[in-house]
Amino acid sequence: QKEVEQDPGPLSVPEGAIVSLNCTYSNSAFQYFMWYRQYSRKGPELLMYTYSSGNKEDGRFTAQVDKSSKYISLFIRDSQPSDSATYLCAMTGGSSASKIIFGSGTRLSIRP
Amino acid sequence: DGGITQSPKYLFRKEGQNVTLSCEQNLNHDAMYWYRQDPGQGLRLIYYSQIVNDFQKGDIAEGYSVSREKKESFPLTVTSAQKNPTAFYLCASSYQPHSTDTQYFGPGTRLTVL
């Protein structure tokens, strides 16, 4: 079983829809959670960074962490064609020996 | 204009050849990383370096080698011992060598073995 599971998609939604992207994980030591956006043939860029459980909002993006369920989500409101990309979740335990574990990514397409 | 650059963008290698991928950063970051990305898989850590003249193996170091002679540079050599080298290679850096520190990625190099 992978430490981090992410549905690869592809996910296709119409412009303006609310998008929900999710990851599950198995390691209860993970405390720091990230979402990266990766456009085709480009490197990933950090979108959201959260610590422990709770919600964090930044513009049209909301990151949600539920540590009791080992489940994290990224919501995109008023989705735009420019949001079409692959979204990678990532997480780490935060200790000096920790590494960042990445999900495999969900490919998202926003239809105009 | 700060950032991470990788070259070349595309690289083709014949069987049995060694190739070197370049990664340079001008962000004054201490830590640098090399990842490999394959379809349907998350980024997998090949090597990382927390400081100049020091580097550590990641999860899939076999068939790869690195050097860190300068803070700004962290080249990756894909040797002929790497059995399945065709992949997208990503270099990243972070200000501090700690997993909680944000990693910034370069644009990647796509390596294809002919």
Side-chain angles (χ1 to χ4, degrees):
Chain A
Q1 182 190 8
K2 291 181 180 178
E3 277 192 282
V4 178
E5 298 276 2
Q6 186 174 8
D7 188 331
L11 180 62
S12 180
V13 302
E15 183 176 355
I18 296 175
V19 176
S20 173
L21 303 167
N22 312 293
C23 286
T24 59
Y25 62 95
S26 57
N27 190 342
S28 57
F30 289 147
Q31 296 189 72
Y32 297 84
F33 304 91
M34 293 147 274
W35 285 96
Y36 281 84
R37 178 175 61 196
Q38 185 177 21
Y39 291 113
S40 183
R41 302 183 187 280
K42 303 287 185 185
E45 57 177 329
L46 183 66
L47 203 56
M48 299 286 283
Y49 190 122
T50 55
Y51 169 69
S52 194
S53 285
N55 292 0
K56 183 176 181 180
E57 189 173 318
D58 184 1
R60 297 184 295 110
F61 299 90
T62 299
Q64 194 172 78
V65 175
D66 182 350
K67 289 188 70 181
S68 62
S69 302
K70 297 190 179 68
Y71 189 87
I72 68 170
S73 301
L74 178 71
F75 298 96
I76 307 174
R77 291 184 300 280
D78 188 25
S79 55
Q80 305 293 312
S82 59
D83 295 327
S84 297
T86 295
Y87 290 80
L88 302 159
C89 64
M91 49 199 77
T92 183
S95 73
S96 59
S98 294
K99 291 180 294 186
I100 296 178
I101 308 298
F102 288 85
S104 56
T106 298
R107 193 151 54 95
L108 173 66
S109 175
I110 308 297
R111 304 189 303 270
Chain B
D1 189 20
I4 303 176
T5 57
Q6 291 185 242
S7 62
K9 189 172 181 179
Y10 299 97
L11 186 57
F12 298 90
R13 191 194 92 171
K14 292 182 180 178
E15 296 261 3
Q17 278 184 337
N18 292 356
V19 290
T20 297
L21 283 59
S22 168
C23 177
E24 304 276 334
Q25 54 97 2
N26 61 4
L27 299 168
N28 199 33
H29 285 175
D30 282 331
M32 296 187 75
Y33 312 82
W34 273 105
Y35 291 93
R36 170 180 171 141
Q37 186 175 33
D38 295 280
Q41 297 197 45
L43 275 64
R44 292 184 290 168
L45 184 64
I46 304 172
Y47 267 98
Y48 64 101
S49 169
Q50 297 178 324
I51 198 168
V52 176
N53 291 322
D54 183 61
F55 48 83
Q56 308 293 331
K57 291 182 179 180
D59 299 319
I60 55 165
E62 186 176 350
Y64 300 97
S65 66
V66 294
S67 63
R68 186 86 186 276
E69 296 176 3
K70 298 187 299 182
K71 188 175 185 178
E72 304 80 22
S73 179
F74 191 40
L76 173 74
T77 297
V78 185
T79 74
S80 57
Q82 170 48 238
K83 297 306 177 189
N84 186 22
T86 294
F88 190 49
Y89 289 87
L90 288 159
C91 178
S93 70
S94 63
Y95 185 63
Q96 292 180 351
H98 196 279
S99 63
T100 58
D101 208 36
T102 300
Q103 291 188 12
Y104 297 86
F105 285 85
T109 291
R110 186 164 299 276
L111 172 64
T112 302
V113 173
L114 302 174

